[in-house]
């Protein structure tokens, strides 16, 4: 594994310490990524995404989806089953909690559960105030702002005399 020095990132940014700390943890393998349940993240459009999680064996009542502090938290807990005797148990229905960190302005728009898959739709809605806007350049008569102010002041003085 490569060792990355993130010191320049810390020195040249302000307010991105959470991102830098997360990169530090990921690069140093401090964060053990769970593998259950498997999931996909799709980009459906420029600002539309879908997370699909394999939740075979869980009902809608067993699943919980929550958005809290820029994190999407999907959890499941199977209601207590009656005592069954299995010869082979290959379908995992153990409790889980899966977290997804959401970028700014990403909102959950809905969720569906069908055929053992939980689909969570997300959209990025950037406010108009944060979108880039074009500034029109107007033509002037070649005089600077200071020259115009000086001329207006001289005109005002002549009128008072």
């Amino acid at each position: 594994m490569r060792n990355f020095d993130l010191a320049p990132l810390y020195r040249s940014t302000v307010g991105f310490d959470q991102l830098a700390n997360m990169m530090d943890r990921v690069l140093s393998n401090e964060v053990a990524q769970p593998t259950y349940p498997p999931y996909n993240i799709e980009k459906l459009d420029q600002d539309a995404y879908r997370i699909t999680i394999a939740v075979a064996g869980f009902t809608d009542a067993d699943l919980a989806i929550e958005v809290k502090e820029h994190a999407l938290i999907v959890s499941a807990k199977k209601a207590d089953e009656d005592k069954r005797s299995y010869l082979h148990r290959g379908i995992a229905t153990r409790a889980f909690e899966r977290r997804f960190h959401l970028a700014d302005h990403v909102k959950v728009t809905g969720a569906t559960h069908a055929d053992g898959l939980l689909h969570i739709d997300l959209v990025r809605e950037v406010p108009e105030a944060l979108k880039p806007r074009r500034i029109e350049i107007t033509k002037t008569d070649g005089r600077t702002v200071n020259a115009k102010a000086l001329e207006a002041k001289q005109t005002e003085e002549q009128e008072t005399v």
Side-chain angles (χ1 to χ4, degrees), residues 42-44 46-51 120-124:
E42 302 172 67
K43 185 170 185 171
L44 304 175
Q46 181 68 23
D47 291 320
Y49 306 89
R50 173 176 282 169
I51 297 173
I120 303 169
D121 294 318
L122 305 110
V123 66
R124 181 183 318 138

Side-chain angles (χ1 to χ4, degrees), residues 17-75:
D17 38 335
Q18 287 181 336
L19 176 65
N21 288 338
M22 185 173 59
M23 287 175 51
D24 248 349
R25 284 193 311 267
V26 168
L27 293 175
S28 65
N29 276 340
E30 287 178 20
V31 179
Q33 293 295 324
T35 58
Y36 177 78
Y39 66 93
N40 294 333
I41 300 176
E42 302 172 67
K43 185 170 185 171
L44 304 175
D45 197 8
Q46 181 68 23
D47 291 320
Y49 306 89
R50 173 176 282 169
I51 297 173
T52 302
I53 304 173
V55 291
F58 290 99
T59 65
D60 292 346
D62 298 332
L63 298 167
I65 302 170
E66 182 180 11
V67 177
K68 182 179 177 184
E69 298 174 1
H70 292 292
L72 169 65
I73 304 164
V74 180
S75 58

Side-chain angles (χ1 to χ4, degrees), residues 25-142:
R25 284 193 311 267
V26 168
L27 293 175
S28 65
N29 276 340
E30 287 178 20
V31 179
Q33 293 295 324
T35 58
Y36 177 78
Y39 66 93
N40 294 333
I41 300 176
E42 302 172 67
K43 185 170 185 171
L44 304 175
D45 197 8
Q46 181 68 23
D47 291 320
Y49 306 89
R50 173 176 282 169
I51 297 173
T52 302
I53 304 173
V55 291
F58 290 99
T59 65
D60 292 346
D62 298 332
L63 298 167
I65 302 170
E66 182 180 11
V67 177
K68 182 179 177 184
E69 298 174 1
H70 292 292
L72 169 65
I73 304 164
V74 180
S75 58
K77 185 173 183 181
K78 193 75 172 153
D80 292 331
E81 291 184 13
D82 55 332
K83 301 294 180 190
R84 295 183 184 181
S85 176
Y86 292 95
L87 296 177
H88 171 75
R89 187 168 186 178
I91 301 172
T93 54
R94 64 183 180 266
F96 70 85
E97 179 177 283
R98 176 69 79 169
R99 291 178 176 264
F100 300 92
H101 294 282
L102 302 177
D104 290 340
H105 314 296
V106 173
K107 309 256 186 286
V108 176
T109 58
T112 57
H113 180 212
D115 301 326
L117 298 174
L118 176 64
H119 301 285
I120 303 169
D121 294 318
L122 305 110
V123 66
R124 181 183 318 138
E125 297 174 347
V126 180
E128 286 296 322
L130 297 178
K131 289 183 180 176
R133 58 187 177 103
R134 185 177 175 98
I135 308 298
E136 293 296 323
I137 301 171
T138 57
K139 292 194 177 210
T140 63
D141 56 6

